[in-house]
């Protein structure tokens, strides 16, 4: 079946540094990828929507300069958390929409801890 | 916000019992989906029910949809310890952005 891979699954970084999370669709092309953030015991909150070859659309309250999203190809989107703060520690999940099937598939998520 | 709400927020049952989770949403929808999430893991799609359907079954799962009340329920029958997880309903963004809005989720614990 279709698989969406996120990497790294866990990352620890120091405050002030930047960290990049990759989201790859392994056996399908994804015209659209979505990035969610999830705090412990809470629901997923959409951060941004990225379309291949164009700028990402950010949800209200999400700082685009802090959470840089790049969707350079039909199989890869990246989320870069810049100048990370401990408050950015969270679980980040991506999903990808299949160009041919229209189905959305979710990655396994990435745990970010900022110390 | 288009985010739905689920109740209960947490549910603890004995193995073998049935678990029922409810989801309410705010806008008109074309479909509603249920997802499962094990602790600290990604989401697993369970079932999709379309707006013209009232009930749908998949194995031990039964989903109902009442569009007049803007609500849905997920029933897990004969629960197992392995069913312990968080369950979310999700509705599509009707503005055409193709993303999903998730409910607040129900944390289910099945006690062996």
């Amino acid at each position: 079946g279709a698989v969406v891979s996120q990497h790294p699954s866990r990352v620890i970084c120091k405050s002030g540094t930047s960290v990049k999370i990759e989201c790859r669709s392994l056996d399908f092309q994804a015209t659209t990828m979505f990035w969610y953030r999830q705090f412990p015991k809470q629901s997923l909150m959409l951060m941004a929507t990225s379309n291949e070859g164009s700028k990402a659309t950010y949800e209200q309250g999400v700082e685009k300069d802090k959470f840089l999203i790049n969707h350079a190809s039909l199989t890869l989107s990246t989320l870069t958390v810049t100048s990370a703060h401990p408050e950015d520690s969270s679980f980040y999940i991506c999903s990808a929409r299949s160009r041919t099937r229209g189905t959305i598939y979710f990655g396994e998520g990435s745990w970010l801890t900022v110390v | 916000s288009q985010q739905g709400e689920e109740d209960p927020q947490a549910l603890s049952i004995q193995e073998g019992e049935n678990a029922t989770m409810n989801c309410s949403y705010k806008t008109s929808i074309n479909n509603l989906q249920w997802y499962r999430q094990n602790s600290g893991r990604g989401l697993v799609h369970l079932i999709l029910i379309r707006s013209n359907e009232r009930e749908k079954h998949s194995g031990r799962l039964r989903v109902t949809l009442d569009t007049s009340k803007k609500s849905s329920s997920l029933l897990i029958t004969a629960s197992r310890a392995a069913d312990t997880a968080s369950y979310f309903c999700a509705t599509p963004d009707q503005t055409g952005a193709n993303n999903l809005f998730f409910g607040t989720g129900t944390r289910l614990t099945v006690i062996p």
Side-chain angles (χ1 to χ4, degrees), chain B residues 9-61:
Chain B
Q9 290 188 359
L11 178 63
S12 184
I13 59 174
Q14 294 289 329
E15 200 165 32
E17 294 181 340
N18 296 339
T20 299
M21 291 158 268
N22 303 296
C23 166
S24 60
Y25 56 92
K26 299 178 181 179
T27 64
S28 297
I29 58 171
N30 295 325
N31 66 72
L32 184 142
Q33 302 172 44
W34 284 90
Y35 286 83
R36 167 195 169 123
Q37 183 183 37
N38 287 351
S39 181
R41 301 295 299 276
L43 294 168
V44 175
H45 181 264
L46 295 177
I47 197 167
L48 180 151
I49 186 166
R50 302 192 187 281
S51 59
N52 61 352
E53 298 176 309
R54 292 294 170 262
E55 188 171 309
K56 199 164 184 178
H57 297 253
S58 176
R60 293 184 295 113
L61 305 180

Side-chain angles (χ1 to χ4, degrees), chain A residues 19-92:
Chain A
V19 60
K20 180 185 288 186
I21 301 171
E22 292 185 348
C23 178
R24 291 181 184 274
S25 57
L26 296 185
D27 61 353
F28 66 96
Q29 292 182 331
T31 48
T32 307
M33 289 186 172
F34 308 94
W35 287 95
Y36 295 84
R37 181 174 183 175
Q38 185 181 30
F39 289 108
K41 297 185 179 181
Q42 295 190 24
S43 187
L44 285 77
M45 297 302 295
L46 181 67
M47 298 176 65
T49 302
S50 73
N51 294 297
E52 186 265 338
S54 62
K55 291 183 179 180
T57 302
Y58 289 81
E59 296 298 304
Q60 192 172 11
V62 178
E63 300 175 58
K64 62 179 181 181
D65 294 331
K66 179 169 183 61
F67 298 99
L68 301 179
I69 291 173
N70 183 277
H71 194 158
S73 75
L74 285 171
T75 59
L76 174 64
S77 177
T78 59
L79 166 67
T80 301
V81 183
T82 63
S83 299
H85 292 160
E87 305 83 70
D88 297 327
S89 297
S90 185
F91 190 54
Y92 293 87

